[in-house]
Amino acid sequence: MKPCFGYIRVSTKEQEDGASLTAQKDAITGFASQNGLEIIQWFEELETASKTGRPLFNKMLQQLRRSAAEGLVIHRIDRSTRNFSDWARLDELSRAGIKVYFAADSLDFDSRGGRLMADIQMVLAADYSRNLSLEVKKGLYGRIKHGSYPFQAPIGYINNGKGALKTIDPIKGPLVKLAFDLYCSGEYSISSLTDEMARRGLTGFYGQPVVRRNMETMLRNPFYIGKMFVCGTLYDAAHEPLISAQQFHQVSLVKAGRAQKRETKHKRKYRRLLTCAECGKTMTGECQKNHIYYRCHTKGCANGTIREDRLEERLLSRLKRLQICPTHHDALKLRLLSWLSGSGSSDMAASLRLRISDAITRKDRLTDLLINGTISQEDFEVRKQNTEFELQRLREELKQIENQQKSEADLDDLLRLACNLHTLFTCGAPEEQRALLKNCTTNLSVRQGRLTVTPAPMIKELQKMTKNDDHQPSSDALGIAKSSESRPVLHLP
């Protein structure tokens, strides 16, 4: 009996679980027994035949070239290959004296007529594969245009079957949102964030531990703000977003290096908060003789150092002078509520509508620039994506202004903070103290041991309102009813 290899193939894991492989093997076994052939080795593969590079198929051809068997038995032509490159390799094998049999097609591969019929069937198989690919793509893009993501859901979302929208995973979803919050704080690198989220229980696909690659992909995936990025094009999606466009934009700033994002070895309380009044560089904390000193390391800078405990004494004194007298709390609240319900909210909304209109105009002009050849397709896609993100951020801010259900609660938090700067700083944990300083100051500078504290615009506005009853607050300074994703969170006791 002539020793031969048997080759069977299906394209997907789902087909493997069916009866296809068994049916192919039975047909080849029956054909071999009727024609005096002996199957000495089986090659069972789960790969599409429309592309080259199948590992088992290549291994089998290499062994046949080394005369490991005298023939090859395949169930049908479309089971062998659906591309012309692999078909040519089978032809070369036949010319080298290796017999190629097709169990179900009854073709004599060595005769002129049999080879012609085999070539025709191969062309039909290749065309079927191309047509199937086009139909699948047509269906996928149809679902994409209707806002449905047809691929595997990213970490934090759940697959709900073909055609159904992805939904937020009740376990992983909050953890993914927390990952964005932590990265926006600027206190974590990608590596340290990966370790932190793994410690908190976030897992990747199939329950595997989250790795750095997962975190990188997650932080740049617009799926979390209700967008889909498919084949270089950004589409609107219908699923529920997990984070805001503002927070996604903040992440991109951190990743681009416009905001600081490194993990420090020694987490000093005032790290990256103090600047040198002489040269404007950040002052670095270091431990000397059991005390922490902050100094400027710029070469040639004549500024001195300041000890942390003395810095804190001066800081507490400045915060006490900056805070609003509690007796003004109720009056300020009434004035701010009146302003919000009047022209203040209207001015903010009108400004945002103008910015939205301008962004839409710029987006429409991009198409004209592309058609005229002024910009390339690649440049067009980048600008379009940036404009889409900007529009979504502006619309989110406008929606918050139009729905001011939380304005009074926001005002209470703002006024409590402004009236209790000294107390909150004294009682807060180190990270809460840092958050308070980030919220309520814009600059902490040191010159020869003297501390200068510049209050944040919202504190300045409230101070002006306490001194002048006619002063109208600035919406940009107070930031009321605006997104605050980019600011650190302060938990008030």
Short mmCIF file of all heavy atoms in Angstrom, two decimals, residues 3 5 40-41 43 55-71 89 92-93 96-98:
data_model
loop_
_atom_site.label_atom_id
_atom_site.label_comp_id
_atom_site.label_asym_id
_atom_site.label_seq_id
_atom_site.Cartn_x
_atom_site.Cartn_y
_atom_site.Cartn_z
N PRO A 3 2.12 4.77 1.06
CA PRO A 3 1.98 5.64 2.24
C PRO A 3 1.64 7.07 1.83
O PRO A 3 2.29 7.66 0.96
CB PRO A 3 3.36 5.56 2.89
CG PRO A 3 4.30 5.23 1.79
CD PRO A 3 3.53 4.37 0.82
N PHE A 5 -0.13 11.09 3.28
CA PHE A 5 -0.58 11.99 4.34
C PHE A 5 -2.07 12.29 4.12
O PHE A 5 -2.55 12.33 2.98
CB PHE A 5 0.18 13.31 4.31
CG PHE A 5 1.60 13.21 4.83
CD1 PHE A 5 2.52 14.21 4.55
CD2 PHE A 5 2.01 12.12 5.59
CE1 PHE A 5 3.82 14.13 5.02
CE2 PHE A 5 3.31 12.04 6.07
CZ PHE A 5 4.22 13.04 5.78
N ILE A 40 -0.55 7.44 6.75
CA ILE A 40 0.46 7.24 7.80
C ILE A 40 0.52 8.41 8.78
O ILE A 40 1.07 8.29 9.88
CB ILE A 40 1.85 7.00 7.19
CG1 ILE A 40 2.28 8.22 6.35
CG2 ILE A 40 1.86 5.74 6.34
CD1 ILE A 40 3.70 8.14 5.86
N GLN A 41 -0.06 9.57 8.42
CA GLN A 41 -0.06 10.72 9.33
C GLN A 41 -1.18 11.67 8.94
O GLN A 41 -1.41 11.94 7.76
CB GLN A 41 1.29 11.45 9.29
CG GLN A 41 1.40 12.58 10.32
CD GLN A 41 2.77 13.22 10.33
OE1 GLN A 41 3.72 12.71 9.74
NE2 GLN A 41 2.90 14.34 11.02
N PHE A 43 -2.95 15.48 9.28
CA PHE A 43 -2.71 16.91 9.55
C PHE A 43 -4.08 17.58 9.68
O PHE A 43 -4.83 17.67 8.69
CB PHE A 43 -1.90 17.55 8.42
CG PHE A 43 -0.47 17.07 8.38
CD1 PHE A 43 -0.14 15.91 7.69
CD2 PHE A 43 0.54 17.78 9.01
CE1 PHE A 43 1.16 15.46 7.64
CE2 PHE A 43 1.86 17.33 8.97
CZ PHE A 43 2.17 16.17 8.29
N PRO A 55 0.39 27.19 9.23
CA PRO A 55 1.59 26.50 9.74
C PRO A 55 1.61 25.01 9.46
O PRO A 55 2.63 24.47 9.02
CB PRO A 55 1.55 26.80 11.24
CG PRO A 55 0.14 27.21 11.53
CD PRO A 55 -0.36 27.86 10.30
N LEU A 56 0.49 24.29 9.70
CA LEU A 56 0.49 22.84 9.48
C LEU A 56 0.57 22.50 7.99
O LEU A 56 1.21 21.53 7.60
CB LEU A 56 -0.77 22.22 10.10
CG LEU A 56 -0.72 21.96 11.61
CD1 LEU A 56 -2.02 21.34 12.08
CD2 LEU A 56 0.44 21.03 11.95
N PHE A 57 -0.10 23.30 7.18
CA PHE A 57 -0.06 23.07 5.73
C PHE A 57 1.38 23.22 5.22
O PHE A 57 1.86 22.39 4.44
CB PHE A 57 -0.99 24.08 5.04
CG PHE A 57 -1.11 23.89 3.56
CD1 PHE A 57 -1.91 22.89 3.03
CD2 PHE A 57 -0.40 24.71 2.68
CE1 PHE A 57 -2.02 22.71 1.65
CE2 PHE A 57 -0.50 24.54 1.31
CZ PHE A 57 -1.31 23.54 0.80
N ASN A 58 2.07 24.26 5.67
CA ASN A 58 3.46 24.47 5.26
C ASN A 58 4.37 23.34 5.75
O ASN A 58 5.25 22.87 5.02
CB ASN A 58 3.97 25.81 5.79
CG ASN A 58 3.28 26.98 5.14
OD1 ASN A 58 2.71 26.86 4.06
ND2 ASN A 58 3.34 28.13 5.78
N LYS A 59 4.14 22.90 7.00
CA LYS A 59 4.94 21.81 7.55
C LYS A 59 4.74 20.52 6.75
O LYS A 59 5.70 19.78 6.47
CB LYS A 59 4.56 21.60 9.02
CG LYS A 59 5.32 20.47 9.70
CD LYS A 59 4.84 20.32 11.15
CE LYS A 59 5.55 19.14 11.83
NZ LYS A 59 5.07 18.96 13.23
N MET A 60 3.49 20.28 6.37
CA MET A 60 3.17 19.08 5.60
C MET A 60 3.87 19.10 4.24
O MET A 60 4.46 18.09 3.80
CB MET A 60 1.66 18.97 5.43
CG MET A 60 1.21 17.77 4.61
SD MET A 60 -0.58 17.79 4.36
CE MET A 60 -0.74 19.21 3.27
N LEU A 61 3.84 20.24 3.55
CA LEU A 61 4.49 20.34 2.25
C LEU A 61 6.00 20.14 2.36
O LEU A 61 6.62 19.51 1.49
CB LEU A 61 4.19 21.70 1.61
CG LEU A 61 2.73 21.98 1.24
CD1 LEU A 61 2.62 23.29 0.47
CD2 LEU A 61 2.12 20.85 0.41
N GLN A 62 6.59 20.68 3.43
CA GLN A 62 8.03 20.49 3.63
C GLN A 62 8.38 19.01 3.79
O GLN A 62 9.36 18.52 3.22
CB GLN A 62 8.49 21.28 4.86
CG GLN A 62 8.48 22.79 4.67
CD GLN A 62 8.83 23.52 5.95
OE1 GLN A 62 9.09 22.90 6.98
NE2 GLN A 62 8.82 24.84 5.90
N GLN A 63 7.57 18.27 4.55
CA GLN A 63 7.83 16.83 4.75
C GLN A 63 7.63 16.06 3.45
O GLN A 63 8.37 15.10 3.17
CB GLN A 63 6.92 16.30 5.85
CG GLN A 63 7.24 16.84 7.24
CD GLN A 63 6.45 16.14 8.33
OE1 GLN A 63 6.00 15.00 8.16
NE2 GLN A 63 6.26 16.82 9.46
N LEU A 64 6.65 16.44 2.65
CA LEU A 64 6.43 15.76 1.37
C LEU A 64 7.60 16.00 0.41
O LEU A 64 7.98 15.10 -0.34
CB LEU A 64 5.12 16.25 0.74
CG LEU A 64 3.84 15.72 1.40
CD1 LEU A 64 2.62 16.45 0.86
CD2 LEU A 64 3.70 14.21 1.19
N ARG A 65 8.18 17.20 0.44
CA ARG A 65 9.34 17.48 -0.41
C ARG A 65 10.54 16.62 0.00
O ARG A 65 11.41 16.33 -0.83
CB ARG A 65 9.70 18.96 -0.34
CG ARG A 65 8.68 19.88 -0.98
CD ARG A 65 9.24 21.29 -1.12
NE ARG A 65 8.19 22.22 -1.52
CZ ARG A 65 7.55 23.02 -0.67
NH1 ARG A 65 7.85 22.99 0.63
NH2 ARG A 65 6.62 23.83 -1.11
N ARG A 66 10.58 16.25 1.29
CA ARG A 66 11.67 15.39 1.78
C ARG A 66 11.32 13.91 1.63
O ARG A 66 11.97 13.05 2.24
CB ARG A 66 11.98 15.71 3.24
CG ARG A 66 12.56 17.12 3.45
CD ARG A 66 13.22 17.24 4.82
NE ARG A 66 12.26 17.11 5.89
CZ ARG A 66 11.67 18.15 6.51
NH1 ARG A 66 11.96 19.39 6.12
NH2 ARG A 66 10.82 17.95 7.48
N SER A 67 10.24 13.62 0.87
CA SER A 67 9.81 12.24 0.58
C SER A 67 9.40 11.48 1.84
O SER A 67 9.62 10.27 1.95
CB SER A 67 10.93 11.48 -0.15
OG SER A 67 11.28 12.13 -1.35
N ALA A 68 8.76 12.18 2.79
CA ALA A 68 8.25 11.51 3.99
C ALA A 68 7.04 10.64 3.65
O ALA A 68 6.67 9.76 4.43
CB ALA A 68 7.89 12.54 5.05
N ALA A 69 6.39 10.89 2.50
CA ALA A 69 5.26 10.08 2.04
C ALA A 69 5.22 10.17 0.52
O ALA A 69 5.85 11.06 -0.09
CB ALA A 69 3.95 10.57 2.65
N GLU A 70 4.48 9.25 -0.09
CA GLU A 70 4.43 9.21 -1.56
C GLU A 70 3.22 9.94 -2.12
O GLU A 70 3.12 10.13 -3.33
CB GLU A 70 4.44 7.75 -2.04
CG GLU A 70 5.70 7.01 -1.69
CD GLU A 70 5.67 5.56 -2.18
OE1 GLU A 70 4.81 5.26 -3.05
OE2 GLU A 70 6.47 4.75 -1.70
N GLY A 71 2.28 10.31 -1.24
CA GLY A 71 1.08 10.96 -1.74
C GLY A 71 0.40 11.78 -0.65
O GLY A 71 0.74 11.72 0.54
N ARG A 89 1.86 25.82 -5.17
CA ARG A 89 2.77 24.95 -4.42
C ARG A 89 2.32 23.49 -4.51
O ARG A 89 3.14 22.57 -4.58
CB ARG A 89 2.83 25.40 -2.96
CG ARG A 89 3.45 26.79 -2.80
CD ARG A 89 3.23 27.34 -1.41
NE ARG A 89 4.04 26.62 -0.44
CZ ARG A 89 3.91 26.77 0.87
NH1 ARG A 89 2.99 27.59 1.36
NH2 ARG A 89 4.68 26.08 1.70
N GLU A 92 3.45 22.30 -7.90
CA GLU A 92 4.88 21.98 -7.91
C GLU A 92 5.12 20.62 -7.26
O GLU A 92 5.97 19.84 -7.70
CB GLU A 92 5.66 23.05 -7.15
CG GLU A 92 5.70 24.40 -7.85
CD GLU A 92 6.37 25.45 -7.00
OE1 GLU A 92 6.84 25.12 -5.89
OE2 GLU A 92 6.44 26.61 -7.45
N LEU A 93 4.35 20.31 -6.23
CA LEU A 93 4.47 19.02 -5.54
C LEU A 93 4.11 17.88 -6.49
O LEU A 93 4.79 16.84 -6.54
CB LEU A 93 3.55 19.03 -4.32
CG LEU A 93 3.89 18.08 -3.17
CD1 LEU A 93 5.20 18.49 -2.52
CD2 LEU A 93 2.77 18.13 -2.13
N ALA A 96 6.75 17.19 -8.95
CA ALA A 96 7.92 16.53 -8.35
C ALA A 96 7.67 15.03 -8.13
O ALA A 96 8.55 14.33 -7.61
CB ALA A 96 8.27 17.19 -7.02
N GLY A 97 6.48 14.53 -8.48
CA GLY A 97 6.21 13.10 -8.39
C GLY A 97 5.37 12.68 -7.20
O GLY A 97 5.11 11.50 -7.01
N ILE A 98 4.91 13.65 -6.39
CA ILE A 98 4.04 13.34 -5.25
C ILE A 98 2.60 13.33 -5.75
O ILE A 98 2.11 14.31 -6.32
CB ILE A 98 4.20 14.38 -4.12
CG1 ILE A 98 5.67 14.46 -3.67
CG2 ILE A 98 3.30 14.03 -2.94
CD1 ILE A 98 6.21 13.19 -3.08
#
